[in-house]
Coordinates of all heavy atoms in Angstrom, one line a residue:
M1 N 203.3 -30.0 182.0 CA 202.7 -29.3 180.9 C 202.1 -28.0 181.5 O 202.2 -26.9 180.9 CB 201.6 -30.2 180.3 CG 201.0 -29.6 179.0 SD 202.3 -29.4 177.8 CE 201.5 -28.3 176.7
R2 N 201.5 -28.1 182.6 CA 200.8 -26.9 183.2 C 201.9 -25.8 183.5 O 201.6 -24.6 183.3 CB 200.0 -27.2 184.4 CG 199.3 -26.0 184.9 CD 198.3 -26.2 185.9 NE 197.3 -27.1 185.6 CZ 196.5 -27.7 186.6 NH1 196.8 -27.5 187.9 NH2 195.6 -28.5 186.3
W3 N 203.0 -26.2 184.0 CA 204.1 -25.3 184.3 C 204.6 -24.5 183.0 O 204.9 -23.4 183.0 CB 205.3 -26.0 184.9 CG 205.1 -26.1 186.4 CD1 204.8 -27.2 187.1 CD2 205.0 -25.0 187.3 NE1 204.6 -26.9 188.4 CE2 204.7 -25.6 188.6 CE3 205.2 -23.6 187.2 CZ2 204.6 -24.8 189.7 CZ3 205.1 -22.9 188.4 CH2 204.8 -23.5 189.6
F4 N 204.6 -25.3 182.0 CA 205.0 -24.7 180.7 C 204.1 -23.6 180.3 O 204.5 -22.5 179.9 CB 205.0 -25.8 179.6 CG 205.4 -25.3 178.2 CD1 206.7 -24.8 178.0 CD2 204.4 -25.2 177.2 CE1 207.0 -24.3 176.8 CE2 204.8 -24.7 176.0 CZ 206.1 -24.3 175.7
L5 N 202.8 -23.8 180.5 CA 201.8 -22.8 180.1 C 202.0 -21.6 181.0 O 201.9 -20.4 180.6 CB 200.4 -23.3 180.3 CG 199.9 -24.3 179.2 CD1 198.6 -24.8 179.5 CD2 199.9 -23.5 177.8
V6 N 202.2 -21.8 182.3 CA 202.4 -20.7 183.3 C 203.6 -19.9 182.9 O 203.6 -18.6 182.9 CB 202.5 -21.2 184.7 CG1 202.9 -20.1 185.6 CG2 201.2 -21.9 185.2
L7 N 204.7 -20.6 182.5 CA 205.9 -19.9 182.1 C 205.6 -19.0 180.8 O 206.1 -17.9 180.7 CB 207.0 -20.9 181.8 CG 207.8 -21.3 183.0 CD1 208.8 -22.3 182.6 CD2 208.5 -20.1 183.6
C8 N 204.9 -19.6 179.9 CA 204.6 -18.8 178.7 C 203.8 -17.5 179.0 O 204.1 -16.5 178.5 CB 203.8 -19.7 177.7 SG 204.8 -20.9 176.8
L9 N 202.8 -17.7 179.8 CA 202.0 -16.6 180.2 C 202.9 -15.5 180.9 O 202.8 -14.3 180.6 CB 201.0 -17.0 181.2 CG 199.5 -17.1 180.7 CD1 198.6 -17.7 181.7 CD2 199.1 -15.7 180.3
A10 N 203.8 -15.9 181.8 CA 204.6 -15.0 182.5 C 205.5 -14.3 181.5 O 205.7 -13.1 181.6 CB 205.5 -15.7 183.6
A11 N 206.0 -15.0 180.6 CA 206.9 -14.4 179.6 C 206.2 -13.3 178.8 O 206.7 -12.3 178.5 CB 207.5 -15.5 178.6
A12 N 204.9 -13.7 178.4 CA 204.1 -12.7 177.6 C 203.9 -11.4 178.4 O 204.0 -10.3 177.9 CB 202.8 -13.3 177.2
V13 N 203.6 -11.6 179.7 CA 203.3 -10.4 180.5 C 204.6 -9.6 180.7 O 204.5 -8.3 180.8 CB 202.7 -10.9 181.9 CG1 202.6 -9.7 182.8 CG2 201.4 -11.5 181.7
L14 N 205.7 -10.3 180.9 CA 207.0 -9.5 181.2 C 207.7 -9.0 180.0 O 208.7 -8.3 180.1 CB 207.9 -10.4 182.0 CG 207.4 -10.9 183.4 CD1 208.3 -11.9 184.0 CD2 207.2 -9.7 184.3
M15 N 207.2 -9.4 178.8 CA 207.8 -8.9 177.6 C 207.9 -7.4 177.5 O 207.0 -6.7 177.8 CB 206.9 -9.4 176.5 CG 207.6 -9.7 175.2 SD 208.6 -11.1 175.2 CE 208.1 -11.7 173.6
P16 N 209.1 -6.9 177.0 CA 209.1 -5.4 176.8 C 208.0 -5.0 175.8 O 207.7 -5.7 174.9 CB 210.5 -5.1 176.2 CG 211.2 -6.5 176.1 CD 210.3 -7.5 176.6
A17 N 207.4 -3.8 176.0 CA 206.2 -3.5 175.3 C 206.5 -3.1 173.8 O 205.5 -2.7 173.1 CB 205.5 -2.4 176.0
G18 N 207.7 -3.0 173.3 CA 207.9 -2.7 171.9 C 208.6 -1.4 171.7 O 208.6 -0.6 172.7
P19 N 209.1 -1.1 170.5 CA 209.9 0.1 170.3 C 209.2 1.4 170.5 O 209.8 2.4 170.9 CB 210.4 -0.1 168.9 CG 209.5 -1.1 168.3 CD 209.0 -2.0 169.4
S20 N 207.8 1.4 170.2 CA 207.2 2.7 170.3 C 207.1 3.3 171.7 O 206.8 4.5 171.8 CB 205.8 2.6 169.7 OG 205.1 1.6 170.4
L21 N 207.3 2.5 172.7 CA 207.2 3.0 174.1 C 208.6 3.4 174.6 O 208.7 3.9 175.7 CB 206.5 2.0 175.0 CG 205.0 1.8 174.8 CD1 204.5 0.8 175.8 CD2 204.3 3.1 174.9
S22 N 209.6 3.1 173.9 CA 210.9 3.5 174.4 C 211.2 5.0 174.2 O 210.4 5.6 173.5 CB 212.0 2.7 173.6 OG 212.1 3.1 172.3
A23 N 212.3 5.5 174.7 CA 212.5 6.9 174.6 C 213.0 7.3 173.2 O 212.9 8.4 172.8 CB 213.6 7.3 175.6
Q24 N 213.5 6.3 172.5 CA 214.0 6.6 171.1 C 212.8 6.7 170.2 O 211.8 5.9 170.3 CB 214.9 5.5 170.7 CG 216.3 5.6 171.2 CD 217.2 6.4 170.3 OE1 217.4 5.9 169.2 NE2 217.6 7.6 170.6
G25 N 212.8 7.6 169.2 CA 211.8 7.6 168.2 C 211.8 6.4 167.3 O 212.8 5.8 167.1
D26 N 210.6 6.0 166.8 CA 210.4 4.9 166.0 C 210.2 5.4 164.5 O 209.1 5.9 164.2 CB 209.2 4.1 166.5 CG 208.9 2.9 165.6 OD1 209.4 2.8 164.5 OD2 208.1 2.0 166.0
A27 N 211.2 5.3 163.7 CA 211.1 5.9 162.3 C 209.9 5.3 161.5 O 209.3 5.9 160.7 CB 212.4 5.7 161.6
G28 N 209.6 4.0 161.7 CA 208.5 3.3 161.0 C 207.2 4.0 161.4 O 206.3 4.2 160.5
A29 N 207.0 4.2 162.7 CA 205.8 4.8 163.1 C 205.7 6.3 162.6 O 204.7 6.8 162.3 CB 205.7 4.8 164.7
G30 N 206.9 6.9 162.6 CA 207.0 8.3 162.1 C 206.6 8.4 160.6 O 205.9 9.3 160.2
E31 N 207.0 7.4 159.8 CA 206.6 7.4 158.4 C 205.1 7.3 158.3 O 204.5 8.1 157.5 CB 207.2 6.2 157.7 CG 206.8 6.2 156.2 CD 207.5 5.1 155.4 OE1 208.1 4.2 156.0 OE2 207.5 5.2 154.2
H32 N 204.5 6.5 159.1 CA 203.0 6.4 159.0 C 202.3 7.7 159.4 O 201.4 8.1 158.7 CB 202.6 5.3 160.0 CG 201.2 4.9 159.9 ND1 200.7 4.1 158.9 CD2 200.1 5.2 160.7 CE1 199.4 4.0 159.0 NE2 199.0 4.6 160.1
L33 N 202.8 8.3 160.5 CA 202.3 9.6 160.9 C 202.5 10.7 159.8 O 201.6 11.5 159.5 CB 203.0 10.1 162.2 CG 202.6 9.4 163.5 CD1 203.6 9.8 164.5 CD2 201.2 9.7 163.9
A34 N 203.7 10.7 159.2 CA 204.0 11.7 158.2 C 203.0 11.5 157.0 O 202.5 12.5 156.5 CB 205.4 11.5 157.7
Q35 N 202.7 10.3 156.6 CA 201.8 10.1 155.5 C 200.4 10.6 155.8 O 199.7 11.1 155.0 CB 201.8 8.6 155.1 CG 202.6 8.4 153.8 CD 203.4 7.1 153.8 OE1 203.0 6.2 154.5 NE2 204.3 7.0 152.9
Q36 N 200.1 10.4 157.1 CA 198.7 10.8 157.5 C 198.6 12.3 157.7 O 197.6 12.9 157.3 CB 198.5 10.1 158.9 CG 197.1 9.8 159.2 CD 197.0 8.9 160.4 OE1 198.0 8.4 160.9 NE2 195.8 8.8 160.9
W37 N 199.6 12.9 158.3 CA 199.5 14.3 158.8 C 200.3 15.3 158.0 O 200.0 16.5 158.0 CB 200.0 14.4 160.2 CG 199.1 13.7 161.2 CD1 199.5 12.5 161.8 CD2 197.8 14.0 161.7 NE1 198.4 12.1 162.6 CE2 197.4 13.0 162.5 CE3 197.0 15.1 161.4 CZ2 196.2 13.0 163.2 CZ3 195.7 15.1 162.0 CH2 195.4 14.1 162.9
C38 N 201.3 14.9 157.3 CA 202.3 15.9 156.7 C 202.3 15.9 155.2 O 202.7 16.8 154.6 CB 203.7 15.6 157.2 SG 203.8 15.1 159.0
A39 N 201.8 14.8 154.6 CA 201.9 14.6 153.2 C 201.0 15.7 152.4 O 201.3 15.9 151.2 CB 201.5 13.2 152.7
A40 N 200.1 16.3 153.0 CA 199.3 17.3 152.3 C 200.2 18.5 151.9 O 199.9 19.1 150.8 CB 198.2 17.8 153.2
C41 N 201.2 18.8 152.6 CA 202.1 19.9 152.3 C 203.5 19.5 151.9 O 204.1 20.1 151.1 CB 202.1 20.9 153.5 SG 200.5 21.6 153.9
H42 N 204.0 18.5 152.6 CA 205.4 18.1 152.3 C 205.5 16.8 151.5 O 204.6 16.0 151.6 CB 206.1 17.8 153.7 CG 206.3 18.9 154.6 ND1 207.4 19.7 154.6 CD2 205.5 19.4 155.6 CE1 207.2 20.7 155.5 NE2 206.1 20.5 156.2
V43 N 206.5 16.7 150.7 CA 206.9 15.4 150.1 C 207.5 14.6 151.3 O 208.5 15.0 151.8 CB 207.9 15.5 149.0 CG1 208.3 14.1 148.6 CG2 207.2 16.2 147.8
V44 N 206.9 13.5 151.7 CA 207.4 12.8 152.9 C 208.0 11.4 152.6 O 208.6 10.9 153.4 CB 206.2 12.6 153.9 CG1 205.6 13.9 154.3 CG2 205.2 11.6 153.4
S45 N 207.8 10.9 151.3 CA 208.4 9.6 151.1 C 208.6 9.5 149.6 O 208.1 10.3 148.8 CB 207.5 8.5 151.6 OG 206.4 8.3 150.8
E46 N 209.4 8.5 149.2 CA 209.8 8.3 147.8 C 208.6 8.0 146.9 O 208.5 8.3 145.7 CB 210.8 7.2 147.6 CG 212.2 7.8 147.7 CD 213.3 6.8 148.0 OE1 212.9 5.6 148.0 OE2 214.4 7.2 148.2
N47 N 207.6 7.3 147.4 CA 206.5 6.9 146.6 C 205.3 7.9 146.6 O 204.2 7.6 146.3 CB 205.9 5.5 147.0 CG 205.7 5.3 148.5 OD1 205.6 6.4 149.2 ND2 205.7 4.1 149.0
Q48 N 205.7 9.2 146.8 CA 204.8 10.3 146.7 C 205.2 11.1 145.6 O 206.3 11.7 145.6 CB 204.8 11.0 148.1 CG 203.7 12.1 148.1 CD 203.9 12.9 149.4 OE1 204.4 12.4 150.4 NE2 203.4 14.1 149.4
A49 N 204.4 11.3 144.6 CA 204.9 12.0 143.4 C 205.2 13.4 143.7 O 206.3 13.9 143.5 CB 203.8 11.9 142.3
N50 N 204.3 14.2 144.2 CA 204.6 15.6 144.6 C 203.6 16.0 145.7 O 202.6 15.5 145.9 CB 204.6 16.6 143.4 CG 203.6 16.1 142.4 OD1 202.5 15.7 142.7 ND2 204.0 16.3 141.1
A51 N 204.1 17.0 146.4 CA 203.3 17.5 147.5 C 202.3 18.5 147.0 O 202.4 19.1 145.9 CB 204.2 18.2 148.5
A52 N 201.2 18.7 147.7 CA 200.2 19.6 147.3 C 200.6 21.1 147.3 O 200.0 21.9 146.6 CB 198.9 19.4 148.2
T53 N 201.6 21.4 148.1 CA 201.9 22.8 148.3 C 203.3 23.1 147.8 O 204.3 22.4 148.1 CB 201.9 23.2 149.8 OG1 200.7 22.6 150.4 CG2 201.9 24.7 150.0
I54 N 203.4 24.2 147.0 CA 204.7 24.6 146.4 C 205.4 25.5 147.5 O 204.8 26.2 148.2 CB 204.5 25.4 145.1 CG1 203.9 24.4 144.1 CG2 205.8 26.0 144.6 CD1 203.3 25.2 142.9
G55 N 206.7 25.3 147.5 CA 207.5 26.2 148.4 C 207.6 25.6 149.8 O 208.2 26.2 150.7
V56 N 207.1 24.4 150.0 CA 207.3 23.7 151.3 C 208.5 22.7 151.2 O 208.5 21.9 150.2 CB 206.0 23.0 151.7 CG1 206.2 22.2 153.0 CG2 204.8 23.9 151.8
P57 N 209.4 22.8 152.1 CA 210.6 21.8 151.9 C 210.1 20.4 152.0 O 209.3 20.1 152.9 CB 211.5 22.2 153.1 CG 210.6 22.9 154.1 CD 209.5 23.6 153.3
S58 N 210.7 19.5 151.2 CA 210.4 18.1 151.3 C 211.1 17.5 152.5 O 212.1 18.1 153.0 CB 210.8 17.3 150.0 OG 212.2 17.0 150.1
F59 N 210.7 16.4 153.0 CA 211.4 15.8 154.1 C 212.8 15.4 153.8 O 213.7 15.3 154.6 CB 210.6 14.6 154.7 CG 209.4 15.0 155.6 CD1 209.0 16.3 155.6 CD2 208.8 14.0 156.4 CE1 207.9 16.7 156.4 CE2 207.7 14.4 157.2 CZ 207.3 15.7 157.2
F60 N 213.0 15.1 152.4 CA 214.4 14.8 152.0 C 215.3 16.0 152.1 O 216.4 16.0 152.5 CB 214.4 14.3 150.6 CG 213.6 13.0 150.5 CD1 212.3 13.0 150.1 CD2 214.2 11.8 150.8 CE1 211.6 11.8 150.0 CE2 213.5 10.6 150.7 CZ 212.2 10.6 150.3
D61 N 214.7 17.2 151.7 CA 215.5 18.5 151.9 C 215.8 18.7 153.4 O 216.9 19.1 153.7 CB 214.7 19.7 151.4 CG 214.4 19.6 149.9 OD1 215.2 19.0 149.2 OD2 213.4 20.3 149.5
I62 N 214.8 18.5 154.2 CA 215.1 18.7 155.7 C 216.1 17.7 156.2 O 217.1 18.1 156.9 CB 213.7 18.5 156.4 CG1 212.7 19.6 156.0 CG2 214.0 18.6 157.9 CD1 211.3 19.3 156.5
A63 N 216.0 16.5 155.7 CA 217.0 15.5 156.2 C 218.4 15.8 155.7 O 219.4 15.5 156.4 CB 216.6 14.1 155.7
A64 N 218.5 16.4 154.5 CA 219.8 16.7 153.9 C 220.5 17.9 154.6 O 221.6 18.2 154.4 CB 219.7 16.9 152.4
N65 N 219.7 18.7 155.3 CA 220.2 19.9 155.9 C 220.9 19.6 157.2 O 220.3 19.1 158.2 CB 219.0 20.8 156.2 CG 219.4 22.1 156.8 OD1 220.6 22.3 157.3 ND2 218.5 23.1 156.9
P66 N 222.2 19.8 157.3 CA 223.0 19.3 158.4 C 222.6 20.1 159.7 O 222.8 19.6 160.8 CB 224.5 19.6 158.1 CG 224.4 20.5 156.9 CD 223.1 20.3 156.2
D67 N 222.0 21.3 159.5 CA 221.5 22.0 160.7 C 220.3 21.3 161.4 O 220.0 21.6 162.5 CB 221.1 23.4 160.3 CG 222.3 24.3 160.1 OD1 223.4 23.9 160.4 OD2 222.1 25.4 159.4
M68 N 219.5 20.6 160.6 CA 218.3 20.0 161.1 C 218.6 18.6 161.8 O 218.4 17.6 161.1 CB 217.2 19.9 160.0 CG 216.7 21.2 159.6 SD 216.0 22.2 160.9 CE 214.3 21.7 161.0
T69 N 219.0 18.7 163.0 CA 219.2 17.4 163.7 C 217.9 16.9 164.2 O 216.9 17.6 164.2 CB 220.1 17.7 164.9 OG1 219.5 18.7 165.8 CG2 221.5 18.2 164.5
E70 N 217.9 15.7 164.7 CA 216.7 15.1 165.3 C 216.1 16.0 166.4 O 214.9 16.3 166.5 CB 217.0 13.7 165.8 CG 215.8 12.8 165.9 CD 216.1 11.4 166.1 OE1 217.2 10.9 165.6 OE2 215.4 10.7 166.8
A71 N 217.0 16.6 167.2 CA 216.6 17.4 168.3 C 216.0 18.7 167.8 O 214.9 19.2 168.3 CB 217.7 17.7 169.3
K72 N 216.6 19.3 166.8 CA 216.0 20.6 166.2 C 214.7 20.3 165.6 O 213.8 21.1 165.7 CB 217.0 21.1 165.1 CG 218.2 21.9 165.6 CD 218.0 23.3 165.1 CE 219.2 24.2 165.5 NZ 220.4 23.9 164.5
I73 N 214.5 19.2 164.9 CA 213.2 18.9 164.2 C 212.2 18.7 165.3 O 211.1 19.3 165.2 CB 213.3 17.6 163.4 CG1 214.3 17.9 162.2 CG2 212.0 17.2 162.9 CD1 214.6 16.6 161.4
A74 N 212.5 18.1 166.4 CA 211.6 17.8 167.5 C 211.2 19.2 168.1 O 210.0 19.4 168.4 CB 212.2 16.9 168.5
T75 N 212.2 20.1 168.3 CA 211.9 21.4 168.9 C 210.9 22.2 167.9 O 209.9 22.8 168.4 CB 213.2 22.2 169.0 OG1 214.1 21.4 169.8 CG2 212.9 23.5 169.8
F76 N 211.2 22.1 166.6 CA 210.4 22.8 165.7 C 208.9 22.3 165.7 O 208.0 23.0 165.7 CB 210.9 22.6 164.3 CG 210.0 23.2 163.2 CD1 210.1 24.5 162.8 CD2 209.1 22.4 162.5 CE1 209.3 25.1 161.9 CE2 208.3 22.9 161.5 CZ 208.4 24.3 161.2
L77 N 208.8 20.9 165.8 CA 207.5 20.3 165.7 C 206.7 20.6 167.0 O 205.4 20.7 167.0 CB 207.6 18.8 165.5 CG 208.0 18.4 164.1 CD1 208.1 16.9 164.1 CD2 207.0 18.9 163.1
A78 N 207.4 20.8 168.1 CA 206.7 21.2 169.4 C 206.1 22.6 169.3 O 205.2 22.9 170.0 CB 207.6 21.0 170.5
D79 N 206.8 23.4 168.5 CA 206.4 24.8 168.4 C 206.7 25.4 167.0 O 207.7 26.1 166.8 CB 207.2 25.6 169.5 CG 206.7 27.1 169.6 OD1 205.6 27.4 169.1 OD2 207.4 27.9 170.2
P80 N 205.9 25.0 166.0 CA 206.2 25.3 164.6 C 206.2 26.8 164.3 O 205.5 27.5 165.0 CB 205.1 24.6 163.8 CG 204.4 23.7 164.8 CD 204.6 24.3 166.2
H81 N 206.9 27.1 163.2 CA 206.8 28.5 162.7 C 205.4 28.9 162.4 O 204.6 28.0 162.0 CB 207.6 28.7 161.5 CG 209.0 28.2 161.5 ND1 209.9 28.4 160.5 CD2 209.7 27.6 162.5 CE1 211.1 27.9 160.9 NE2 211.0 27.4 162.1
P82 N 205.1 30.2 162.3 CA 203.7 30.6 161.9 C 203.2 30.0 160.6 O 202.1 29.7 160.4 CB 203.8 32.1 161.9 CG 205.0 32.5 162.7 CD 205.9 31.3 162.7
K83 N 204.2 29.9 159.6 CA 203.7 29.4 158.3 C 203.2 28.0 158.3 O 202.5 27.6 157.4 CB 204.9 29.5 157.3 CG 204.9 30.9 156.6 CD 205.7 30.8 155.3 CE 207.1 31.2 155.4 NZ 208.0 31.0 154.3
M84 N 203.7 27.2 159.2 CA 203.2 25.8 159.3 C 202.2 25.7 160.5 O 202.5 26.2 161.6 CB 204.4 24.9 159.5 CG 204.0 23.4 159.4 SD 205.4 22.4 159.4 CE 204.9 21.4 160.9
P85 N 201.1 25.1 160.3 CA 200.1 24.9 161.4 C 200.7 24.1 162.5 O 201.4 23.2 162.3 CB 198.9 24.2 160.8 CG 199.5 23.5 159.6 CD 200.6 24.4 159.1
D86 N 200.3 24.4 163.8 CA 200.6 23.6 164.9 C 199.7 22.4 164.9 O 198.5 22.6 165.0 CB 200.5 24.4 166.2 CG 200.9 23.7 167.4 OD1 201.0 22.4 167.4 OD2 201.3 24.3 168.4
M87 N 200.2 21.2 164.8 CA 199.3 20.1 164.6 C 199.0 19.4 165.9 O 198.4 18.3 165.9 CB 200.0 19.1 163.6 CG 200.8 19.7 162.6 SD 200.6 19.4 160.8 CE 199.3 18.2 160.7
G88 N 199.4 20.0 167.0 CA 199.1 19.4 168.3 C 199.6 18.0 168.5 O 198.9 17.1 169.0
L89 N 200.8 17.8 168.1 CA 201.4 16.4 168.1 C 201.8 16.1 169.6 O 202.3 17.0 170.3 CB 202.7 16.4 167.2 CG 202.4 16.6 165.8 CD1 203.7 16.9 165.0 CD2 201.7 15.4 165.1
S90 N 201.7 14.8 169.9 CA 202.2 14.4 171.3 C 203.7 14.2 171.2 O 204.3 14.1 170.2 CB 201.5 13.1 171.7 OG 202.0 12.1 170.8
N91 N 204.3 14.2 172.4 CA 205.8 14.0 172.4 C 206.2 12.7 171.8 O 207.2 12.7 171.0 CB 206.3 14.0 173.9 CG 206.3 15.4 174.4 OD1 206.5 16.4 173.6 ND2 206.2 15.6 175.7
P92 N 205.6 11.5 172.0 CA 206.0 10.3 171.2 C 205.8 10.5 169.7 O 206.7 10.0 169.0 CB 205.1 9.2 171.8 CG 204.6 9.7 173.1 CD 204.6 11.2 173.0
Q93 N 204.8 11.2 169.3 CA 204.6 11.4 167.8 C 205.7 12.2 167.3 O 206.2 12.0 166.2 CB 203.3 12.1 167.6 CG 202.1 11.1 167.8 CD 200.7 11.9 167.6 OE1 200.6 13.0 168.0 NE2 199.8 11.2 167.0
I94 N 206.1 13.3 168.0 CA 207.2 14.2 167.6 C 208.5 13.4 167.5 O 209.2 13.5 166.5 CB 207.3 15.3 168.6 CG1 206.2 16.3 168.4 CG2 208.7 16.0 168.5 CD1 206.1 17.4 169.4
R95 N 208.8 12.5 168.5 CA 210.0 11.7 168.5 C 210.0 10.8 167.2 O 211.0 10.7 166.6 CB 210.1 10.9 169.7 CG 210.7 11.6 170.9 CD 211.3 10.5 171.9 NE 210.3 9.6 172.3 CZ 209.6 9.8 173.5 NH1 209.8 10.8 174.3 NH2 208.7 8.9 173.8
D96 N 208.9 10.2 167.0 CA 208.8 9.2 165.8 C 209.0 10.0 164.5 O 209.7 9.5 163.6 CB 207.5 8.5 165.8 CG 207.3 7.5 167.0 OD1 208.3 7.3 167.7 OD2 206.2 7.1 167.2
L97 N 208.4 11.1 164.4 CA 208.5 11.9 163.2 C 209.9 12.4 163.0 O 210.5 12.3 161.9 CB 207.5 13.1 163.2 CG 206.0 12.7 162.9 CD1 205.1 13.8 163.4 CD2 205.8 12.5 161.4
A98 N 210.5 12.9 164.0 CA 211.9 13.4 163.9 C 212.8 12.2 163.5 O 213.7 12.4 162.7 CB 212.3 14.0 165.2
A99 N 212.6 11.1 164.1 CA 213.5 9.9 163.8 C 213.3 9.5 162.3 O 214.2 9.2 161.6 CB 213.1 8.7 164.7
Y100 N 212.0 9.6 161.9 CA 211.8 9.2 160.5 C 212.4 10.2 159.5 O 213.1 9.8 158.6 CB 210.3 9.2 160.2 CG 209.9 9.1 158.7 CD1 210.4 7.9 158.0 CD2 209.2 10.0 158.0 CE1 210.1 7.8 156.7 CE2 209.0 9.9 156.7 CZ 209.4 8.8 156.0 OH 209.2 8.6 154.7
I101 N 212.3 11.5 159.8 CA 212.8 12.5 158.8 C 214.4 12.4 158.8 O 214.9 12.3 157.7 CB 212.4 14.0 159.3 CG1 210.9 14.1 159.2 CG2 213.2 15.0 158.4 CD1 210.4 15.4 159.7
V102 N 215.0 12.2 160.0 CA 216.4 12.1 160.0 C 216.9 10.8 159.3 O 217.9 10.8 158.6 CB 216.9 12.1 161.4 CG1 218.4 11.6 161.6 CG2 216.9 13.5 162.0
S103 N 216.1 9.8 159.3 CA 216.4 8.5 158.7 C 216.5 8.6 157.2 O 217.1 7.9 156.5 CB 215.4 7.4 159.1 OG 214.2 7.5 158.3
L104 N 215.7 9.6 156.6 CA 215.7 9.8 155.2 C 217.1 10.3 154.7 O 217.4 10.2 153.5 CB 214.6 10.8 154.8 CG 213.2 10.4 155.1 CD1 212.3 11.5 154.8 CD2 212.8 9.2 154.3
G105 N 217.8 10.9 155.5 CA 219.1 11.5 155.1 C 220.3 10.5 155.1 O 221.4 10.8 154.8
R106 N 220.0 9.2 155.6 CA 221.1 8.3 155.7 C 221.2 7.5 154.4 O 220.3 7.3 153.7 CB 220.8 7.4 156.9 CG 221.1 8.2 158.1 CD 221.0 7.3 159.4 NE 221.0 8.2 160.5 CZ 220.1 8.1 161.5 NH1 219.2 7.1 161.5 NH2 220.1 8.9 162.5
Ligands
HEC201 C1 199.5 23.1 156.0 C2 200.8 22.7 155.4 C3 201.8 21.9 156.3 C4 201.6 20.7 156.9 C5 200.3 19.9 157.0 C6 202.8 20.4 157.6 N1 203.8 21.3 157.2 FE1 205.7 21.3 157.8 N2 206.0 23.1 156.9 C7 205.1 23.8 156.2 C8 205.6 25.1 155.7 C9 204.9 26.1 154.9 C10 207.0 25.1 156.2 C11 208.0 26.2 156.0 C12 208.0 27.0 157.3 C13 208.8 28.2 157.1 O1 209.7 28.3 156.3 O2 208.6 29.1 158.0 C14 207.2 23.9 157.0 C15 208.4 23.5 157.6 C16 208.6 22.3 158.2 C17 209.8 22.0 158.9 C18 211.1 22.9 159.0 C19 211.9 22.9 157.8 C20 213.1 23.8 158.0 O3 214.1 23.6 157.3 O4 213.0 24.8 158.8 C21 209.7 20.7 159.4 C22 210.7 19.9 160.2 C23 208.3 20.3 159.1 N3 207.7 21.3 158.4 C24 207.8 19.1 159.5 C25 206.4 18.8 159.3 C26 205.8 17.6 159.9 C27 206.6 16.5 160.6 C28 204.5 17.6 159.6 C29 203.4 16.6 159.9 C30 203.2 16.4 161.3 C31 204.3 18.9 158.8 N4 205.5 19.5 158.7 C32 203.0 19.3 158.3 C33 203.8 23.4 155.9 C34 203.1 22.3 156.5

């Protein structure tokens, strides 16, 4: 019985830490970030009636644009155009947001 407990503990410690720590963006985390940081200006999800700002592309428009690949979106977010504020996003946040936006186009 004691060995069983030790094995369980070892398994818990050695478990991979989850998708958000991998190199790939996590679209679910990106959606959460988008609702928190981007929804003031962009339409970021289907259950958002409209964005506060007119003339800002919705995330669906961005996802539908074949030029906006995940890498392009990430580059933009690391160094946004003057019209959009630099939100000081971390690299994992950028990856998650880019993965989320691209996932909307599928
Ligand atoms: C204060 C308003 C505002 C906020 C907040 C904001 N954006 Fe933007 N965003 C804009 C505007 C305005 C543009 C259009 C920029 C331009 O055309 O030069 C834009 C453009 C973009 C584009 C490029 C679209 C394209 O086709 O070139 C992406 C990607 C984007 N935003 C993602 C985000 C993400 C992700 C967030 C949240 C972290 C965010 N934005 C938060 C105003 C905002």
